[in-house]
């Protein structure tokens, strides 16, 4: 749980480096929170639902399209800055500028390239963005 909450303690810190474990545990934390909030909103009837009917050879019945409600929106807004900050620090660990986040404007290729950058291991030793988090004495969290 410590690794999941570490980016919240570093709320708007865009400098420095973040290890892959810190980034991916935060992504897992966000995913679990969004699932929990979605369930709560569904139970409380707060989700926005559109009833739509689509006719054609591959679909002939009515379906529902749901979107997140107000709790999901507020949580996403609150987590925007820490998510951006940990993503920038993760890119710094791979010796890339945080501006690489903008590569997602190229729909498919940009997202794949960014995912590869976020999965890659960090550079060993210090780089232009700071010391290696492992060598700098960053405590190993349980």
């Amino acid at each position: 749980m410590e690794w999941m909450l570490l980016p919240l303690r570093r709320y708007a810190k865009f400098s420095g480096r973040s290890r892959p474990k810190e980034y991916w545990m935060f992504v897992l934390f966000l995913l679990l929170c969004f699932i929990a909030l979605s369930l709560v909103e569904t139970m409380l009837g707060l989700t926005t639902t559109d009833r739509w009917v689509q006719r054609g050879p591959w679909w002939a019945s009515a379906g529902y399209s749901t979107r997140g409600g107000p709790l999901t929106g507020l949580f996403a807004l609150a987590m925007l800055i820490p998510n951006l900050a940990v993503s920038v620090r993760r890119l710094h660990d791979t010796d890339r500028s945080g501006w690489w986040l903008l590569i997602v404007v190229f729909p498919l290729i940009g997202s794949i390239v960014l995912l590869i950058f976020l999965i890659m291991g960090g550079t060993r030793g210090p780089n232009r963005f700071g010391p290696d988090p492992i060598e700098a004495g960053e405590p190993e969290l349980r």
Side-chain angles (χ1 to χ4, degrees):
M1 195 68 175
E2 293 279 332
W3 282 103
M4 289 180 175
L5 301 177
L6 186 59
L8 293 177
R9 282 189 252 138
R10 299 177 181 174
Y11 188 79
K13 183 181 176 193
F14 289 88
S15 61
R17 297 165 60 175
S18 287
R19 298 166 69 177
K21 187 173 186 177
E22 177 184 349
Y23 177 79
W24 290 109
M25 291 302 281
F26 186 65
V27 168
L28 177 64
F29 167 73
L30 292 179
L31 180 67
L32 294 174
C33 287
F34 278 118
I35 290 171
L37 284 172
S38 176
L39 292 173
V40 168
E41 286 177 338
T42 301
M43 287 190 292
L44 295 176
L46 296 175
T47 57
T48 306
T49 305
D50 293 334
R51 182 164 172 81
W52 52 278
V53 178
Q54 196 168 19
R55 300 178 200 273
W58 51 275
W59 187 265
S61 63
Y64 288 97
S65 171
T66 61
R67 295 187 202 114
L71 299 177
T72 304
L74 289 173
F75 181 74
L77 189 60
M79 293 296 116
L80 178 66
I81 298 296
N83 191 18
L84 285 174
V86 76
S87 298
V88 167
R89 289 193 314 268
R90 180 71 204 109
L91 286 170
H92 286 177
D93 193 39
T94 62
D95 204 19
R96 288 178 178 78
S97 170
W99 291 104
W100 274 100
L101 285 175
L102 296 177
I103 199 168
V104 297
V105 298
F106 301 105
L108 183 63
I109 300 297
S111 298
I112 292 170
V113 169
L114 184 62
L115 180 65
I116 290 169
F117 287 165
L118 294 173
I119 290 173
M120 289 175 58
T123 56
R124 301 281 181 198
N127 66 17
R128 61 187 169 140
F129 298 105
D132 189 350
I134 297 171
E135 293 177 2
E138 182 177 294
E140 179 67 31
L141 300 173
R142 291 182 214 110

